[in-house]
DNA sequence: GTCCGGCAGT
DNA sequence: ACTGCGGGAC
């Protein structure tokens, strides 16, 4: 672990002072860079949950254009639980990673059936819901319930790597857990004694996110020095590009069943227009099997309809 | 080409 | 630990 900010800003004599000054620095940057995002003006767990899932591997500007529309279409966990998969996928189009939309609907059904529509607050209960992993669970806890925890996602990771591990080449996430715990307001550590009533988990993580986003514009992405960093595969021409196109084709069919040849033909119209190679029915067959297993569509013998 | 307020299956 | 999964802005 190394110094905070610049070496001249602070003279660090102990880990305690290091984390304490780190905290006040991030709080101050967070205040300066605060983003008044729409989902930050509610504490409705449903609305916060939707924002957290939309924000998984998806940049803020895209979510800003879609979060409000989703809440108008599906205003409550009950509305979402009762919606059809096609309706949910339709509202999701453009956000990417379509399985998130199906997970949202499945989780909504569980919250309605098992929790009477009231969102759980325990990490174990939250991560048991489809589409909610450790990061999203802590995000919901911090932003909807103002509960402390280890919220470790890319912006938070960038801030801690930049300030506490400036030269380490491959830092595992487990190294970050301790300092994150020690700096979160409300966790049992001397650094985390609340300064005032605005010193909350919610405000702390907003500050980390806002400062982390700014940091990544100023320096090369510190998260590259995370051991969990992985370069992502090419999208253009990929299987998942075709898969997403097939979902669009099924949605456009409005519940009508399409056979393998029809789906392949429609897909190849798109591929041809984009000057990509012709796709064979074998690959389409494979993708349809995956989509069926994942609940995107139902296999009606030799044809598929959107679920 | 890079990255995004990750998750789930293997 | 590794891989598949979307789509657009830069």
């Amino acid at each position: 672990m190394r110094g905070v900010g610049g070496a001249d800003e602070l003279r660090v004599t102990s880990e305690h002072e290091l984390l304490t000054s780190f905290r006040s620095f991030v709080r101050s940057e967070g205040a300066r860079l605060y983003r008044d995002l729409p989902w930050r003006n509610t504490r409705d767990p449903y609305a916060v949950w939707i924002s957290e899932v939309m924000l998984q591997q998806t940049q803020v500007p895209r979510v800003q254009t879609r979060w409000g529309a989703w809440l108008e279409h599906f205003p409550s966990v009950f509305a979402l639980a009762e919606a059809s998969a096609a309706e949910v996928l339709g509202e999701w189009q453009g956000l990417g990673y379509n399985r998130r939309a199906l997970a949202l609907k499945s989780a909504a059904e569980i919250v309605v059936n098992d929790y009477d529509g009231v969102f759980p607050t325990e990490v174990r209960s939250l991560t048991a819901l489809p589409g909610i992993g450790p990061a999203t669970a802590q995000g919901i806890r911090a932003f909807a319930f103002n509960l402390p925890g280890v919220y470790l996602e890319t912006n938070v990771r960038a801030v801690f790597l930049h300030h506490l591990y400036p030269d380490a080449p491959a830092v595992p996430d487990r190294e970050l857990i301790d300092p994150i715990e020690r700096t979160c307001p409300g966790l049992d550590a001397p650094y985390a004694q609340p300064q005032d009533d605005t010193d909350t988990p919610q405000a702390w993580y907003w500050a980390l996110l806002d400062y982390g986003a700014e940091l990544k514009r100023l320096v090369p992405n510190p998260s590259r020095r995370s051991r969990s960093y992985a370069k992502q595969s090419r999208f253009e021409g990929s299987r998942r590009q075709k898969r997403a196109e097939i979902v669009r084709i099924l949605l456009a069919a409005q519940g009508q069943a399409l056979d393998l040849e029809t789906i392949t033909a429609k897909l190849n119209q798109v591929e041809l227009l984009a000057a990509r190679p012709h796709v064979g029915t074998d690959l389409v067959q494979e993708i349809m099997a995956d989509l069926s297993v994942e609940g995107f569509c139902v296999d009606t013998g030799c044809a598929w309809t959107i679920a």
Side-chain angles (χ1 to χ4, degrees), chain A residues 39 51 54-55 58-68 95:
Chain A
W39 50 88
S51 75
M54 284 186 173
L55 287 160
T58 306
Q59 287 167 135
V60 166
R62 189 192 312 266
V63 175
Q64 275 186 284
T65 67
R66 307 298 300 275
W67 178 80
L95 279 165

Side-chain angles (χ1 to χ4, degrees), chain A residues 24-306:
Chain A
S24 46
F25 175 71
V26 171
R27 286 189 72 193
S28 146
E29 288 299 276
R32 184 172 69 86
L33 300 165
Y34 181 74
R35 295 174 292 177
D36 187 22
L37 301 166
W39 50 88
R40 290 184 175 184
N41 295 313
T42 177
R43 283 188 53 177
D44 173 10
Y46 169 73
V48 171
W49 168 51
I50 298 301
S51 75
E52 287 300 314
V53 173
M54 284 186 173
L55 287 160
Q56 292 169 0
Q57 292 293 287
T58 306
Q59 287 167 135
V60 166
R62 189 192 312 266
V63 175
Q64 275 186 284
T65 67
R66 307 298 300 275
W67 178 80
W70 179 281
L71 283 161
E72 283 188 26
H73 197 150
F74 311 110
S76 69
V77 69
F78 300 100
L80 181 54
E82 287 170 10
S84 70
E87 206 177 342
V88 165
L89 284 168
E91 186 62 46
W92 192 265
Q93 282 311 291
L95 279 165
Y97 292 148
N98 292 317
R99 53 171 69 138
R100 289 184 293 172
L102 296 183
L104 278 177
K105 178 178 163 41
S106 302
E109 291 172 356
I110 295 171
V111 171
V112 167
N113 293 329
D114 295 359
Y115 296 96
D116 207 21
V118 180
F119 253 81
T121 63
E122 292 299 316
V123 176
R124 295 297 298 266
S125 311
L126 287 167
T127 55
L129 296 171
I132 299 184
T136 302
Q138 295 293 354
I140 293 169
R141 282 166 53 85
F143 301 133
F145 301 117
N146 206 10
L147 290 169
V150 176
Y151 179 41
L152 179 48
E153 52 71 70
T154 184
N155 286 333
V156 174
R157 188 180 283 121
V159 173
F160 279 84
L161 285 175
H162 181 71
H163 285 284
L164 303 182
Y165 300 85
D167 301 313
V171 183
D173 279 347
R174 62 183 145 77
E175 290 279 336
L176 302 179
I177 291 175
D178 181 66
I180 294 175
E181 268 181 359
R182 290 179 176 215
T183 47
C184 178
L187 289 189
D188 190 19
Y191 323 99
Q193 287 312 305
Q195 307 294 306
D196 53 66
D197 58 352
T198 68
D199 202 6
T200 63
Q202 181 191 59
W204 171 240
Y205 282 117
W206 280 342
L208 278 169
L209 291 177
D210 293 344
Y211 173 54
E214 169 71 4
L215 191 57
K216 285 196 274 195
R217 300 200 303 114
L218 301 178
V219 302
N221 192 350
S223 291
R224 285 184 190 170
R225 293 186 292 101
S226 165
R227 189 167 287 176
S228 66
Y229 175 82
K231 216 188 88 176
Q232 56 184 38
S233 56
R234 195 176 79 253
F235 177 63
E236 180 63 21
S238 68
R239 172 195 162 105
R240 77 179 194 269
Q241 183 181 46
K242 298 172 180 58
R243 172 181 144 122
E245 188 54 48
I246 290 174
V247 170
R248 265 179 245 123
I249 289 167
L250 291 172
L251 280 171
Q254 310 250 37
Q256 196 177 27
L258 304 179
D259 62 24
L260 183 61
E261 286 67 33
T262 305
I263 295 170
T264 306
K266 287 178 179 294
L267 175 60
N268 276 316
Q269 288 177 19
V270 179
E271 298 299 288
L272 182 61
L273 198 62
R276 289 191 290 263
H278 185 271
V279 180
T281 54
D282 48 350
L283 176 55
V284 176
Q285 178 93 269
E286 276 180 32
I287 294 175
M288 294 315 298
D290 286 354
L291 290 175
S292 297
V293 168
E294 291 184 46
F296 283 91
C297 55
V298 292
D299 191 339
T300 64
C302 45
W304 293 268
T305 73
I306 196 79

Side-chain angles (χ1 to χ4, degrees), chain A residues 1-2 4 12-22 164-165 178-179 182-183 191:
Chain A
M1 231 190 267
R2 291 273 305 277
V4 177
V12 175
T13 59
S14 72
E15 192 179 338
H16 176 90
E17 279 186 34
L18 169 65
L19 291 181
T20 301
S21 55
F22 171 74
L164 303 182
Y165 300 85
D178 181 66
R182 290 179 176 215
T183 47
Y191 323 99

